[in-house]
Amino acid sequence: MKKFFKSLEKTACRFYPAFWLYHRLYKHVVKKEVALAHITGEDIVLNIGCGAIPFTALHIVQLTGAKVIALDKDPEAVRMAMHYLKKYGLDKNIEIRVGDGSPENLPPFTVALIALHIKNKEQMLKNLKTAGSDGGRVVFRQPVEEYRKEYGSLYNLDEAHGKVIQNMKTFKKSFLFVISSKESSQQRGGGIS
C-alpha cells in the first residue's frame, strides 16, 4: 500500500488536476490537526515524510500562514515536490529538504506533523523530544489495526495530550504530544543522576 501511494504521488504531481485532487483529499485531515496542535502563523512547522505532493505542508500554509519545513528521505520525491510547488506557484512559506527525522539533522520547530507512512513512530517521537523545546507540539497519524504492520504504530498513547478522529481508510485518529522541558533535557542527557 505504501509503495502504491508513493508511486501515485510521483505520477499525480506531474498533472495539475491530479495534483490538486490528491492535495484536496487531505484538507479536512490537516484542518483537524491544525486545530488540535493550535498552529498559528507564528509557528515553524516541521512536516516529516512530505512525499512528492506535500499536501500537509500546503494545507498548513494555506490555513495558518505558518512557515513549514518539509522533509522526505527520498531525494527524487524532494526534487519533484520542489519543482512542482514552484511550477504551480505554491512554494510560499514552504521549504523542502532531504531528511529522515534523525535528531542531529532536525531544524528548530514549534510543531511537527508526522506522515502516516513513517514506520518507526516510537523512535521518531523520541527524536522529536530530543530535538524539540519545551511546549513543542507533535502530531502523529495512528494507522488502523490492519495497517499497523505496514505503517508502524505508536504504543504509548496514554502520553498523548489530545486526539482528533479522522475519516480515512488507513487511519482514524491523529494524536497530539507536547514536549516538556524535563523530557527534552533528559533525552539530551541532562537528567538527574
Side-chain angles (χ1 to χ4, degrees):
M1 185 75 106
K2 282 169 63 170
K3 288 181 182 179
F4 169 75
F5 281 111
K6 185 176 183 177
S7 176
L8 179 64
E9 275 190 32
K10 286 181 177 179
T11 301
C13 70
R14 293 183 171 109
F15 310 100
Y16 187 73
F19 178 95
W20 182 85
L21 179 62
Y22 194 87
H23 158 259
R24 189 91 177 129
L25 291 174
Y26 283 87
K27 186 171 187 173
H28 64 283
V29 168
V30 179
K31 191 172 187 178
K32 288 180 178 182
E33 293 169 341
V34 163
L36 176 66
H38 304 289
I39 301 173
T40 71
E42 303 298 311
D43 283 306
I44 298 172
V45 181
L46 184 59
N47 173 216
I48 299 177
C50 68
I53 301 178
F55 53 84
T56 298
L58 285 166
H59 287 305
I60 291 167
V61 168
Q62 291 167 349
L63 291 166
T64 69
K67 176 176 175 41
V68 178
I69 301 168
L71 304 178
D72 200 286
K73 67 180 183 179
D74 178 352
E76 181 185 14
V78 167
R79 183 189 57 73
M80 292 175 88
M82 289 169 45
H83 173 78
Y84 289 104
L85 285 180
K86 187 170 180 121
K87 177 179 177 178
Y88 300 142
L90 299 169
D91 55 343
K92 182 181 180 204
N93 282 359
I94 300 176
E95 180 183 340
I96 311 282
R97 299 181 187 176
V98 175
D100 63 359
S102 55
E104 61 276 0
N105 296 320
L106 288 174
F109 65 92
T110 57
V111 180
L113 271 88
I114 314 309
L116 178 67
H117 64 270
I118 300 301
K119 183 94 173 166
N120 194 342
K121 291 175 176 54
E122 290 290 334
Q123 184 60 51
M124 183 60 66
L125 183 55
K126 287 178 186 174
N127 293 352
L128 293 163
K129 285 179 178 180
T130 299
S133 56
D134 192 36
R137 287 105 62 210
V138 181
V139 176
F140 280 88
R141 295 170 182 160
Q142 178 76 343
V144 294
E145 188 67 41
E146 59 264 32
Y147 292 106
R148 288 190 182 162
K149 186 174 181 178
E150 184 173 0
Y151 287 110
S153 183
L154 284 170
Y155 299 102
N156 297 320
L157 296 175
D158 55 328
E159 295 177 14
H161 291 81
K163 68 180 177 188
V164 291
I165 305 301
Q166 302 287 12
N167 188 25
M168 302 298 285
K169 179 178 174 55
T170 53
F171 65 102
K172 299 294 181 194
K173 296 176 185 165
S174 297
F175 286 89
L176 172 70
F177 297 85
V178 178
I179 301 168
S180 74
S181 58
K182 180 180 174 184
E183 282 179 318
S184 58
S185 67
Q186 285 178 343
Q187 296 282 338
R188 291 184 190 116
I192 300 170
S193 41

